[in-house]
Amino acid sequence: MTPLPPSSSIPSRQPHSLFIRGGRIIDPASGRDEIGDLLVIDSRIAESTAAQKGDSSVPVIEAKGLIVAPGLIDMHVHLREPGGGQKETIATGTRAAAAGGFTSILAMPNTNPPADGPNTIALMRQRARETACINVFNTGCITVGMKGEQLAPIGSLHKAGVVAITDDGHCVQNNEVMRRALDYARMFDLLTLDHCQDYALSAGGVMHEGYWSTLLGLPGWPRIAEDMIVARNILLSELTGARILMQHLSSANSVRLVREAKKRGVKVYAEAMPHHIALTDASVENYDTNFKMNPPLREKADQEALLAGLADDTIEILASDHAPHAAYEKEVEFAEAPFGIVGLETELGIFAKVLIEGRVLDWPQMLGKLTINPARLLGLDRGTLAPGAVADITLIDPKHPWKVDAEKFHSLSRNTPFNGWDLPARATHTLVEGRVAWSLEKGFGG
Ligand SMILES: [Zn+2]
């Protein structure tokens, strides 16, 4: 069968041309890192900048002091549409993404109804074409209703344009069902994303099981509940040959398991989130529900293992797990509150603070995990500044101190643990197919 290309949902607009002058061009896909100019002709990266000489009709962006990177890709975003309009919509979620420097996002399927069939995917893609300001790519569910029992129609989902399958928010507990899902995923060469959580081992848990859960009297969600499924997935990937990405790793043991499996050539990949590398379970001290997420914040040793995993490329993906919740949903007792926090508008700054200022990664290494790595895993024709590539570009000011103010978020939700934080860097321009979707100076479409 010929699958539909994993096209974005941005409506076709007039082709755009643009000249970006004097920035630090970083293209992790090719290893390019130099001060230079970048020319966009008809919404694509041009072969050379020679054509621009003397052409004053092409708009110019002065990029002195800025990083010119491929458009950032966040492969773990909850948009909440359909069914969760009080938390987020495709319109507000993509605006938040654009303001965070992202040109493409991958939408998780735990909407209401869930994206477990081609009709829901068609609806979501239609809504994105009408209301999104950046590219939205879709995932489909692994199982019907994310119940973990009956396989979703993976072939039809693939035909409808999904670029990965996942039951994110849920985890398929039945190993036989997961094995069959992976057999299908392999047939279509679809990446499977797994939220690794053994339900029996984590039953009732609302925070990391350890010193703080004991002190605070809250039920624990121990590391072993993640490690067990990571180990299961490694074995199933070896058996089926299917590619699996372990979503939002939080545990030191999981990092070790993935590292060892990769050494054996198993096709497993891993993702890290800003909150797991910036915070520990000690933050739960005041029962603030903005520190409640799934998997939970863990200990210093886990944080250090995640950083080591990012440094040696055991973890090749950085993403947000943007999970908006309305204030009235989060303003309840810790044990009762929903899991999850927003992330799109703060993640680049948090990553710069923890990874660049912390000397864990340099800019090219960090940007690779936000551009070409997700593009390759998902099979997207994005994530590079190579000549001929689609002109999705993010300009970043690496020396732009700013303070997080949740009241200014473009997201409909405010549930962030980072309110009031001082961050060292931020995106200044988000260009989708050569068009300015957002700029720090002029806002949307400016
Ligand atoms: Zn998840």
Side-chain angles (χ1 to χ4, degrees):
M1 63 173 289
T2 17
L4 288 177
S7 60
S8 78
S9 303
I10 280 279
S12 55
R13 292 182 168 91
Q14 289 289 78
H16 277 254
S17 298
L18 189 73
F19 189 63
I20 302 170
R21 182 152 53 203
R24 177 182 172 192
I25 300 173
I26 298 180
D27 184 24
S30 65
R32 185 176 179 194
D33 180 3
E34 61 188 356
I35 305 293
D37 306 327
L38 199 67
L39 177 62
V40 173
I41 299 177
D42 295 344
S43 307
R44 301 232 164 218
I45 309 289
E47 280 294 338
S48 87
T49 52
Q52 204 279 334
K53 297 269 184 294
D55 183 353
S56 56
S57 67
V58 175
V60 176
I61 295 179
E62 294 294 347
K64 194 164 180 287
L66 303 182
I67 289 171
V68 181
L72 306 185
I73 302 169
D74 186 329
M75 65 180 282
H76 196 141
V77 173
H78 298 272
L79 286 175
R80 308 298 191 204
E81 185 176 353
Q86 79 283 12
K87 302 169 193 270
E88 198 77 284
T89 64
I90 293 170
T92 59
T94 55
R95 284 165 77 90
F102 291 83
T103 56
S104 295
I105 54 178
L106 183 64
M108 293 298 111
N110 60 337
T111 46
N112 187 13
D116 61 0
N119 294 343
T120 314
I121 298 296
L123 171 81
M124 290 164 113
R125 289 177 62 131
Q126 177 61 30
R127 287 295 291 161
R129 270 191 295 274
E130 290 163 2
T131 65
C133 67
I134 59 156
N135 308 304
V136 177
F137 294 93
N138 293 99
T139 55
C141 299
I142 298 174
T143 62
V144 174
M146 298 180 296
K147 293 196 169 79
E149 292 159 5
Q150 189 192 336
L151 284 190
I154 294 169
S156 321
L157 286 166
H158 180 239
K159 227 175 176 172
V162 308
V163 297
I165 53 168
T166 177
D167 270 0
D168 183 46
H170 300 267
C171 177
V172 178
Q173 302 295 294
N174 183 316
N175 299 330
E176 200 274 329
V177 171
M178 191 64 174
R179 176 187 178 179
R180 278 191 291 129
L182 292 169
D183 280 333
Y184 276 101
R186 184 172 179 275
M187 267 195 306
F188 304 108
D189 195 28
L190 272 176
L191 183 68
T192 299
L193 317 173
D194 201 24
H195 168 119
C196 302
Q197 179 179 5
D198 182 289
Y199 288 172
L201 285 166
S202 62
V206 299
M207 71 172 293
H208 172 64
E209 177 188 280
Y211 171 81
W212 282 101
S213 65
T214 308
L215 198 76
L216 298 170
L218 291 169
W221 181 149
R223 290 183 190 89
I224 185 71
E226 175 176 298
D227 306 336
M228 194 67 84
I229 299 293
V230 168
R232 183 264 321 246
N233 287 347
I234 290 167
L235 293 170
L236 286 178
S237 171
E238 269 182 299
L239 178 72
T240 60
R243 300 181 296 133
I244 310 180
L245 178 128
M246 317 296 174
Q247 296 181 293
H248 43 51
L249 279 198
S250 68
S251 143
N253 296 331
S254 295
V255 178
R256 177 177 58 78
L257 288 166
V258 172
R259 180 181 291 121
E260 288 167 1
K262 280 187 162 170
K263 279 198 186 123
R264 291 205 313 280
V266 187
K267 289 180 268 181
V268 290
Y269 313 94
E271 187 182 69
M273 273 47 194
H275 41 281
H276 290 128
I277 60 171
L279 302 167
T280 66
D281 60 342
S283 308
V284 182
E285 191 180 13
N286 297 319
Y287 299 93
D288 181 341
T289 59
N290 287 323
F291 296 89
K292 180 176 178 182
M293 63 287 285
N294 188 1
L297 300 173
R298 300 206 187 272
E299 298 174 26
K300 189 94 191 135
D302 300 287
Q303 203 179 47
E304 279 165 7
L306 289 170
L307 296 178
L310 284 162
D312 73 5
D313 250 351
T314 297
I315 302 171
E316 59 274 271
I317 298 293
L318 290 167
S320 66
D321 195 4
H322 180 79
H325 290 293
Y328 69 86
E329 297 170 297
K330 275 289 204 182
E331 283 164 5
V332 294
E333 277 182 55
F334 194 89
E336 306 304 318
F339 292 99
I341 56 166
V342 291
L344 284 166
E345 294 173 77
T346 48
E347 63 180 301
L348 181 61
I350 298 286
F351 289 142
K353 186 179 174 76
V354 177
L355 301 174
I356 304 290
E357 285 196 337
R359 296 182 182 276
V360 177
L361 301 174
D362 59 23
W363 277 101
Q365 289 167 332
M366 186 178 108
L367 290 171
K369 296 178 195 289
L370 288 159
T371 57
I372 191 63
N373 293 1
R376 280 189 184 137
L377 283 179
L378 297 166
L380 310 181
D381 60 341
R382 312 271 155 168
T384 174
L385 296 175
V390 177
D392 285 0
I393 304 166
T394 300
L395 272 58
I396 299 164
D397 188 343
K399 294 199 174 80
H400 184 112
W402 63 288
K403 194 182 270 302
V404 177
D405 178 357
E407 289 310 311
K408 292 194 179 137
F409 282 173
H410 298 285
S411 169
L412 273 188
S413 295
R414 306 274 175 267
N415 51 314
T416 175
F418 299 116
N419 199 27
W421 277 45
D422 290 306
L423 301 180
R426 76 184 294 175
T428 60
H429 299 72
T430 305
L431 309 173
V432 180
E433 295 174 10
R435 174 183 58 84
V436 181
W438 172 90
S439 74
L440 187 54
E441 204 184 328
K442 295 181 183 158
F444 294 95

